[in-house]
Amino acid sequence: MEQVRPLASDVEAAVRAAMEAVLPPEASAADPLIRRSEHADYQANVALSLAKRMKSNPRELAGTLRDQLTDVEWIEAVEVSGPGFLNITLSDTALLDRLTTRANDDRLGVPRSQAAETAVIDYSGPNVAKEMHVGHLRSTLIGDALARVLGFLGARVVRQNHVGDWGTQFGMLIQYLREHPEAAWRDRDVDSSGTAGAVSALDALYRTARSEFDADAAFKERAQRRVVALQTGDEETVAAWQEIVAESEKAFQRIYERLGVLLTQDDVMGESFYNPWLQEIVDELREKGVLEDSEGAKVVFFDDIRGPEDKPVPMLVQKSDGGFGYAATDLATIRHSIRTFDGTRLVYVVDARQSQHFDMVFQAARRAGWLADDVQAVHAANGTINGPDGRPFKTRAGGTVRLADLLDDALERAREVIAEKDPDLSPEELENVAHSASIGAVKYAELSTSRTRDYSFDVTRMVSFNGQTGVYLQYTHTRIASILRRAQEAGHGRGTFHRDLALLPAERELVLVLDEFSAVLVAVAQTLEPHQLANYLYTLAKAFTTFYESCPVLKADVPTDVRDNRLALCDLTRSTLARGLALLGIAALERM
Ligand code: ARG
């Protein structure tokens, strides 16, 4: 495997060397401020920021640096522009050489930058006896993309699905089911989308049980006794609970399979898994002086976490009735991730509304010594998905929107759009393509949004061949695949780079974008923001489209070396796009 430095890093190093040659030491340590530019391949803005500090003329300073840089063999031209920008253009040979190295490596020259890391990624976390709803989509897709990217960059990735499988609500539900044997939830057939069935029945029954609990004091008492029975391990009650959990997990798994995410049954590490350690967590917190008593409950206070009127907000670890809180379980997840998996970075991909919870949990875990300084704990927070009108997403009846229904909508729309674009597809092909396109569309819409921002779930916009969509990227991939197929048929092979060719502007642009791939992945690993990769792939697809419009590949009058070179560009674009899409969990298709 060959690790390839991005060209931008080489440019940065060259500017740094020029600075060291001509500037006093304190000034030469400044950031060269390299960026891509419309006027050249790269622009260095360091002269502007330095001149201010050194009280010198920025254009003059830029000129001095330029004189140094013109000696660099792989730099074609350096110009001073405007108030003191350095416009840097690389030689075509340098660009082509870099691509050759990337193209000859099955990792496309991407470094294993995370090889020292064990990332424990907690994502999805749906709740038992409830259907997965639109709210679980974000964590599921973002967490999955992070698992793929970090894994590709060499990290050991441990996936954790913290399913909500414990709590007083199960006492209520189990009691209700016992009192209503006619509620035949088990016999429900799974519907065509493979998602309704037993769990949607349970979801509805739970709601009925809840209203009975609120309205009928006698039922409330029986339900509370049932909670105790569950907690104390009453055999029959535990069996009923297990059946509900198993049925729910089957339903989650069906959704995961439909979405094509990596989560399996083995990744489920639900709340109940941590029960045996919760008392220990409380005891240890007490011994370490982290825990305080507050009106009978066991809590932790924090200097900097305060509510209205500057009152400190407590983190509830154990309720006054002895029950453990959500926080106790999450403290146990931290201890477990470190002791069992040797996690070096713990990532919780959870709704932004839980940020105070994680802030408290992380701080308490540091104070208790479970989280050492060399372990990073991150709440990779995600915003909310709104309806197409930008308002909170509700069904017409005002209920929460089932994830399965949204996926059905996307599938239906994809079928229409694709049948129109390619009427020759056989019915099976159409079904396959529509499935991949609809899932790709939903994933891309999710992953191209910064995870902290809210966005609107708009199926029509997502499943479109135009604009920044998954379908557009998949389609670009099929176009390149088709060029490469035709080249094979014509006996031209897959192309080769010719380092002496002069490149056209659209070719140069495509080369420069291709070269950014590894830097983008490294950035995603640092920020845990997959949208940087999603946006990059769109830039790449656009650069390819522009290239293909102005640079014919297979036309008869294209000279052989130019054709070879362009084919090699097509091939590398295809593999970069395919790899990038795969890292977002999106299928790269051969035809659509
Ligand atoms: N089940 C929780 C919910 O639906 C999400 C769990 C997130 N993970 C965690 N370790 N707290 O809100």
Side-chain angles (χ1 to χ4, degrees):
M1 193 229 9
E2 195 142 12
Q3 298 199 355
V4 186
R5 277 162 65 92
L7 287 162
S9 312
D10 282 356
V11 173
E12 185 175 306
V15 176
R16 232 179 247 291
M19 287 160 67
E20 274 161 23
V22 296
L23 298 177
E26 67 289 358
S28 66
D31 184 339
L33 300 173
I34 305 297
R35 51 214 51 174
R36 291 289 313 280
S37 158
E38 280 170 33
H39 312 291
D41 296 339
Y42 294 95
Q43 192 166 68
N45 295 349
V46 63
L48 291 166
S49 65
L50 263 187
K52 217 176 278 167
R53 270 208 276 150
M54 298 171 59
K55 301 209 181 9
S56 63
N57 178 322
R59 277 194 67 95
E60 246 167 61
L61 185 57
T64 320
L65 292 173
R66 178 200 49 210
D67 295 344
Q68 288 290 319
L69 286 165
T70 40
D71 290 344
V72 179
E73 175 250 326
W74 46 272
I75 293 181
E76 181 74 32
V78 189
E79 271 166 30
V80 177
S81 82
F85 301 117
L86 272 174
N87 288 342
I88 302 169
T89 304
L90 308 189
S91 77
D92 290 348
T93 308
L95 298 191
L96 285 163
D97 283 349
R98 194 56 57 98
L99 283 197
T100 309
T101 330
R102 288 201 187 281
N104 288 338
D105 173 25
D106 58 5
R107 294 180 54 81
L108 304 167
V110 176
R112 284 194 167 76
S113 60
Q114 305 308 113
E117 171 168 291
T118 295
V120 183
I121 310 181
D122 180 311
Y123 69 102
S124 195
N127 298 314
V128 159
K130 292 201 186 143
E131 281 193 279
M132 278 180 84
H133 58 81
V134 60
H136 292 112
L137 188 63
R138 298 206 74 175
S139 166
T140 305
L141 300 185
I142 296 166
D144 207 61
L146 292 177
R148 291 170 193 265
V149 171
L150 294 179
F152 182 58
L153 295 179
R156 188 165 77 90
V157 173
V158 181
R159 299 183 299 266
Q160 295 281 280
N161 189 357
H162 197 63
V163 168
D165 61 358
W166 198 249
T168 49
Q169 71 271 27
F170 294 108
M172 200 182 298
L173 180 58
I174 293 167
Q175 185 62 26
Y176 185 88
L177 292 176
R178 284 179 72 97
E179 294 179 17
H180 298 271
E182 75 283 1
W185 61 276
R186 290 185 195 82
D187 309 332
R188 290 296 204 80
D189 274 339
V190 169
D191 71 11
S192 60
S193 60
T195 45
V199 176
S200 48
L202 283 175
D203 198 328
L205 287 167
Y206 169 71
R207 266 182 277 234
T208 320
R210 172 95 238 175
S211 23
E212 194 161 324
F213 184 91
D214 291 336
D216 177 351
F219 176 71
K220 183 171 174 174
E221 215 189 296
R222 294 197 297 279
Q224 281 164 341
R225 257 183 279 136
R226 186 62 61 189
V227 174
V228 177
L230 179 62
Q231 283 167 344
T232 51
D234 169 64
E235 218 170 285
E236 236 180 278
T237 309
V238 169
W241 169 75
Q242 276 166 342
E243 192 188 359
I244 294 170
V245 171
E247 208 53 66
S248 299
E249 283 174 4
K250 259 195 277 172
F252 300 152
Q253 208 50 52
R254 279 196 293 268
I255 292 258
Y256 296 148
E257 267 154 38
R258 186 170 177 195
L259 284 172
V261 296
L262 302 170
L263 289 168
T264 68
Q265 202 79 34
D266 290 343
D267 303 320
V268 173
M269 214 59 96
E271 292 180 21
S272 67
F273 171 82
Y274 295 96
N275 282 345
W277 294 290
L278 299 183
Q279 189 56 52
E280 215 176 290
I281 292 283
V282 171
D283 295 344
E284 246 185 80
L285 285 175
R286 185 184 307 104
E287 279 160 33
K288 291 176 169 156
V290 180
L291 207 62
E292 288 178 46
D293 273 301
S294 171
E295 295 158 32
K298 308 273 185 289
V299 303
V300 179
F301 285 107
F302 308 86
D303 287 341
D304 60 338
I305 304 182
R306 287 167 185 276
E309 291 169 35
D310 209 30
K311 275 211 184 126
V313 181
M315 174 177 82
L316 181 65
V317 184
Q318 190 172 22
K319 291 179 261 184
S320 52
D321 68 4
F324 297 100
Y326 185 52
T329 320
D330 264 332
L331 286 169
T333 66
I334 291 187
R335 224 177 52 150
H336 185 71
S337 296
I338 293 171
R339 287 192 184 170
T340 313
F341 306 123
D342 284 319
T344 59
R345 178 152 64 156
L346 317 185
V347 181
Y348 291 82
V349 188
V350 184
D351 195 296
R353 282 166 290 198
Q354 297 190 28
S355 58
Q356 189 179 65
H357 163 75
F358 285 106
D359 190 10
M360 290 173 156
V361 167
F362 296 161
Q363 282 200 42
R366 293 228 184 260
R367 276 203 250 161
W370 296 317
L371 252 184
D373 287 344
D374 58 348
V375 177
Q376 225 189 320
V378 198
H379 174 208
N382 59 261
T384 309
I385 301 184
N386 291 317
D389 57 359
R391 313 248 308 271
F393 212 171
K394 295 277 178 232
T395 60
R396 240 168 264 147
T400 45
V401 181
R402 296 172 61 220
L403 186 47
D405 290 341
L406 286 182
L407 298 182
D408 287 347
D409 287 352
L411 178 61
E412 201 177 307
R413 182 79 197 128
R415 223 183 261 127
E416 285 165 21
V417 172
I418 287 156
E420 197 186 317
K421 185 98 179 175
D422 190 350
D424 299 336
L425 288 173
S426 74
E428 300 93 89
E429 273 178 316
L430 176 62
E431 224 30 54
N432 281 337
V433 173
H435 166 77
S436 301
S438 65
I439 297 296
V442 168
K443 286 185 170 177
Y444 190 79
E446 168 61 56
L447 297 170
S448 56
T449 311
S450 163
R451 66 175 154 70
T452 50
R453 276 183 41 204
D454 299 346
Y455 74 96
S456 288
F457 196 95
D458 182 345
V459 167
T460 312
R461 214 204 42 204
M462 279 176 198
V463 187
S464 162
F465 276 89
N466 303 311
Q468 188 174 356
T469 66
V471 177
Y472 170 67
L473 294 184
Q474 285 173 321
Y475 181 61
T476 306
H477 183 271
T478 63
R479 283 178 72 195
I480 309 176
S482 135
I483 298 166
L484 293 168
R485 267 199 310 272
R486 279 183 284 135
Q488 293 279 8
E489 282 158 18
H492 300 323
R494 301 224 138 217
T496 13
F497 291 112
H498 288 275
R499 68 191 300 261
D500 303 323
L501 277 180
L503 296 172
L504 295 178
E507 292 174 305
R508 294 182 60 84
E509 180 57 25
L510 181 57
V511 172
L512 289 167
V513 175
L514 280 168
D515 187 65
E516 283 169 28
F517 185 54
S518 58
V520 168
L521 294 181
V522 171
V524 172
Q526 265 155 16
T527 59
L528 304 176
E529 291 268 21
H531 80 273
Q532 298 182 60
L533 172 57
N535 290 342
Y536 166 79
L537 294 177
Y538 180 59
T539 306
L540 177 60
K542 274 193 308 187
F544 177 80
T545 305
T546 310
F547 153 80
Y548 195 54
E549 274 161 11
S550 55
C551 304
V553 180
L554 297 176
K555 286 227 180 81
D557 56 350
V558 179
T560 312
D561 54 350
V562 175
R563 183 187 63 217
D564 278 351
N565 201 64
R566 289 182 183 164
L567 273 176
L569 262 178
C570 289
D571 196 27
L572 184 60
T573 307
R574 195 206 60 74
S575 41
T576 306
L577 204 51
R579 172 69 77 174
L581 286 171
L583 292 174
L584 297 178
I586 298 175
L589 307 173
E590 288 297 310
R591 179 173 178 185
M592 72 193 288

